[in-house]
Structures are given as structure tokens and as C-alpha cells.
Amino acid sequence: MTRKNIFIPFTIILLLLSITGYGQANKWELVTLDSYKNKNIKYADFTYDPNVRTVQLYAVGGDQLNKQLNLPFVFLNKRTPLVLEFDVFGDDADYYEAEIVHCNRDWTPSELQPIEFMRDYNSFKLNEFDFSMSTKVPYVHFIFQLPQVKMSGNYVLKVYKEGNKNDLIITRRFLVAETTAAIVGEVVDRNGSERRYKQQIDFKVNYGDLTVVNAMRDFSVAILQNGRWDNSIENLKPRFIRGHEHILDYSYGNGENTFWGLNEFRVFETSSLNGGGATVSSVDVMKNFNKVRLHEDLIRNGKAFNQQRVDYNGNYLIYASGKRDHWLEADYMEVIFSLKAETPFPGDVYVYGGFSEWQLNEEYKMVYDDKARKYFGSALLKQGRYDYMYTVLDTKNRERDNIAAEGSFNLTRNIYDIIVYYRGPGDRGDRIVAYKKLNTKR
């Protein structure tokens, strides 16, 4: 029996959006109302089909639930699996295949052939799937464990409809690292006027026995804040090179290694219809899908910093209270957001986070109500616990302001990932020779 894709006829889903890229290359995209015909591959985290939802790629580790929060990163010499999970709306779905692409440090495809980085033939069928159970919104849930690769570097997983590599539905980045080099570093405060708002990542790399001809060319570093690529620092070069000690020093003073601290993430939970905690105002139980109204949010820029909330650094967990299989028994709900603003911002306001793939998606665009002096918006999301923030888009310059609604503080608890790339004599692709996770320890 052939499984066909069935489009759910809800108004909210009909407003889902096609894909057109703007803004910074490989940073973030503006997902607009244009057609879905543009399936040109993006070597980034992206979903190309509006029926495909709740895409997570993570390294297996920790307890059964919180593994969803793990970065899609593994060490080459360890057998830690990477797992992809996603849903497709409907009572049935198409067949899917996947393949893996090795990329350069700048996320362009490398010249390596699959036989050089894969242990198996580079084509995999997604045969493990199941149907949602007792949910108002029907969906098919897929799970796929990625095969191991045999060299370090940047990788992109491509998922497409069986037999047609151009009919993409998902691309996801993942990282595989060696331990050839070592990193020592810390998150420190900036000096001067930026001290209250920014966080600086100072570190050194010991490259050990790696052959170095030109350190400025052979090495490159990327730094991620909370695993995000939409505001990453990339192609960072060492400030000092101490060749006799095999040390590269990245302790800059001019902001090259500095991030806005931003704010603790806002949080809401929809794991239960019997009360979602302090963040949920009301729940409307309806025939086809339920509506969850969150309490009104306030603008936090210019306000005092509050560190009481525990967040997931922008990520989310799928979880349904009282259910055994959260992935199959959690339902989709329309979550309604509101943001109090006495006057509208000079640009478009979006709610975003890991659930939006850090993209500005029209599905999550807010609309200003002059009478209520609030922004309103909604999103169809699976039950769970979600982090989110608001951002403002300057539509003229295609620039995003993450601080206007949220503020920025050096006290914010963030996690930073340092990734060291290396291409030595004879290498035809960029390797990841060191990786380090740093915490602000606030």
C-alpha cells in the first residue's frame, strides 16, 4: 500500500509558509508566503515541507527525555548515536530516503566523495515510523538513527522523498570532532561600557602534533551560543601564535569573540490540559484541535535582569503528561502568544526559538492590535515545554534586532560551543580537531 501525504485542512495550517531565503547566508532565513516550489538545498537546518513538523536531530545521551536537548555533535572515536525524529501531518505519508553530505568549514559542500567519509553506501531508507495515538491532529512519526562516518568535520543530513533527491523535506547540520587538539577557555566580562550587556569567550588552542604550515590559513574557529548557528561567530583567526609551544591564542580585545548576552528565555508548557502552570492563561478544548492561550508577555528591554527562571537555552522538549510514548501520544495545539507594547516596534515582530529552527517564519509573525496595544500571534506546536523569545525585523534592511523586546545582560546563563577546524597538508576537507563547551557559570 502506497502511503500518501494528506494535508490537514485547518486554517492555521493553510497559512503555513513556503520557503524563500533572505538575510545572512547560512545564518537565518525569512520564511515567507511564496510558493513551496523553491527546494534548492540550504546547507543549514531547514524544513522544506509545511506538513513536516517538530524536527529534532540530537545525540543520544542523558536520560530518556532530556536527550532531545543535546546538540547534534559526536566525537569520532566514540559510538554515540545521532537520532533524527520528525512528524508528517496526516493519516499516511510518503516514503523517504536520506543521505549525508560532508561540508567545508563554511558549510559549502566539500570535494570529498562519499566513499572517503562514509562506512556504508550513502543512501538510507527511513523505514522506522508509527502513527499517532488518540490525538486530535493525526500524524506519522519517523525516527532514523544516522550511520557512523569515518572522518571528522561538518555534515549535513538530507532527507527527501524516495527516488527524488531534489524533492527535499529536511536538511539538518551535525558535527563530528576529533580530539587531536585541546582547548582551554572561559567566558569573561567585557571591559568598559559593554560590560553589562555582552559576554566574551577567551580561549587557547594547543594543536599538539598537527603539522602547521600557516596557522592563519590552516585553522579556523566557530563559536556557537546555545548551539545556534543564526548568530554564530565563524572564521575566527588567532590573535597570537606561539609556535614553539603549539599554542593559538584567541584572547581578543576588540569584540571579535564577543556575544550579546541577551536574556533568559521565556518559557511555556503545554504538557497537560489540566493546567499548564503559571504560563498558561486558558485552554479551549475543541473538536479538531485545542487552543492554549499564554499569559500576556511584557517587553523586558530596559527592565531589571531576573535570573529566577530555568530555561533550556532556546530548545524544547516533547512531553505529554501521563503518557507513555510522548512522541506518539503528544497532540498538536494552537498556542496563542501576546506581547504588551504601548506603541508598535519599527519593524515586524516574530516569536522564535529552537521550535522555529531559529528562522523568522511567517507562521510565527505577530500582528499589532492598536486597541489592545498588544501584539498577537499563534503557532501550531506539539505538546511539551518550549523556550522562546521575540525579535524585531527591519524589513527595509533585512536586519534582525534580538534586543528590542528582550534586552541583553552579561549575567544571562548561556552555553558556548567552540569548534576548531583544521586543514593540513594533503587534507582535501576541513577536519574538526577540537571541541569545547563552556558555561557562563552565573
Side-chain angles (χ1 to χ4, degrees), residues 52-279:
V52 176
R53 312 289 284 198
T54 316
V55 183
Q56 290 193 351
L57 177 61
Y58 57 85
V60 175
D63 63 60
Q64 186 66 19
L65 184 61
N66 290 335
K67 64 184 181 181
Q68 299 175 39
L69 301 175
N70 294 337
L71 191 71
F73 160 85
V74 293
F75 283 105
L76 186 63
N77 58 351
K78 294 185 179 180
R79 295 187 175 272
T80 305
L82 287 167
V83 172
L84 174 75
E85 301 200 50
F86 64 93
D87 298 333
V88 181
F89 281 148
D91 296 312
D92 221 340
D94 288 293
Y95 292 98
Y96 300 109
E97 293 181 83
E99 70 176 26
I100 292 172
V101 180
H102 184 274
C103 292
N104 298 314
R105 63 185 72 178
D106 62 356
W107 293 101
T108 56
S110 74
E111 63 181 37
L112 295 176
Q113 298 301 308
I115 194 173
E116 298 179 76
F117 59 84
M118 296 295 300
R119 299 179 186 274
D120 305 301
Y121 182 67
N122 194 18
S123 179
F124 309 92
K125 296 185 184 299
L126 276 61
N127 292 324
E128 188 175 349
F129 63 91
D130 213 334
F131 300 90
S132 59
M133 297 187 294
S134 303
T135 60
K136 293 183 177 181
V137 178
Y139 58 86
V140 183
H141 178 69
F142 286 82
I143 183 169
F144 172 63
Q145 182 171 313
L146 278 63
Q148 286 190 315
V149 298
K150 58 184 182 182
M151 69 172 293
S152 66
N154 287 346
Y155 287 91
V156 167
L157 175 70
K158 295 168 50 179
V159 181
Y160 49 88
K161 291 184 179 179
E162 186 179 50
N164 187 355
K165 293 184 179 183
N166 294 320
D167 197 352
L168 290 166
I169 65 162
I170 296 167
T171 50
R172 279 296 182 277
R173 303 184 193 201
F174 66 96
L175 305 173
V176 179
E178 307 169 23
T179 55
T180 314
I183 303 169
V184 176
E186 61 180 338
V187 182
V188 300
D189 291 329
R190 289 279 293 162
N191 294 322
S193 61
E194 295 181 337
R195 178 183 177 87
R196 295 176 55 194
Y197 312 109
K198 292 187 176 183
Q199 296 171 345
Q200 181 169 306
I201 297 84
D202 287 346
F203 61 99
K204 296 179 177 64
V205 176
N206 185 324
Y207 56 82
D209 295 329
L210 288 170
T211 301
V212 177
V213 178
N214 182 339
M216 301 297 285
R217 179 194 63 198
D218 297 344
F219 291 94
S220 179
V221 170
I223 308 177
L224 309 183
Q225 184 185 61
N226 300 321
R228 301 168 53 175
W229 289 96
D230 65 307
N231 66 344
S232 60
I233 295 174
E234 299 180 54
N235 199 31
L236 192 63
K237 300 300 182 181
R239 185 184 183 193
F240 300 112
I241 302 169
R242 300 203 298 269
H244 62 289
E245 299 179 62
H246 297 187
I247 296 294
L248 309 176
D249 192 328
Y250 292 83
S251 302
Y252 280 91
N254 296 324
E256 295 92 332
N257 53 346
T258 299
F259 286 80
W260 291 98
L262 301 180
N263 210 328
E264 306 291 353
F265 283 88
R266 304 175 192 262
V267 178
F268 71 87
E269 186 170 343
T270 59
S271 60
S272 173
L273 291 178
N274 299 320
T279 60

Side-chain angles (χ1 to χ4, degrees), residues 7-16 50-54 87 89 136-139 268 270 288-292 316 318 331-337 351 355-356 361 363-364 377-383 386:
F7 198 82
I8 304 297
F10 300 156
T11 302
I12 186 171
I13 302 175
L14 290 173
L15 292 175
L16 294 178
N51 283 313
V52 176
R53 312 289 284 198
T54 316
D87 298 333
F89 281 148
K136 293 183 177 181
V137 178
Y139 58 86
F268 71 87
T270 59
N288 292 328
F289 61 95
N290 299 321
K291 290 187 176 182
V292 176
Y316 64 96
I318 300 305
D331 212 340
Y332 280 85
M333 301 179 180
E334 182 183 2
V335 180
I336 300 173
F337 302 85
V351 59
F355 68 90
S356 72
N361 191 316
E363 181 184 356
Y364 311 128
S378 65
L380 193 65
L381 300 171
K382 200 170 184 176
Q383 282 181 279
Y386 289 77

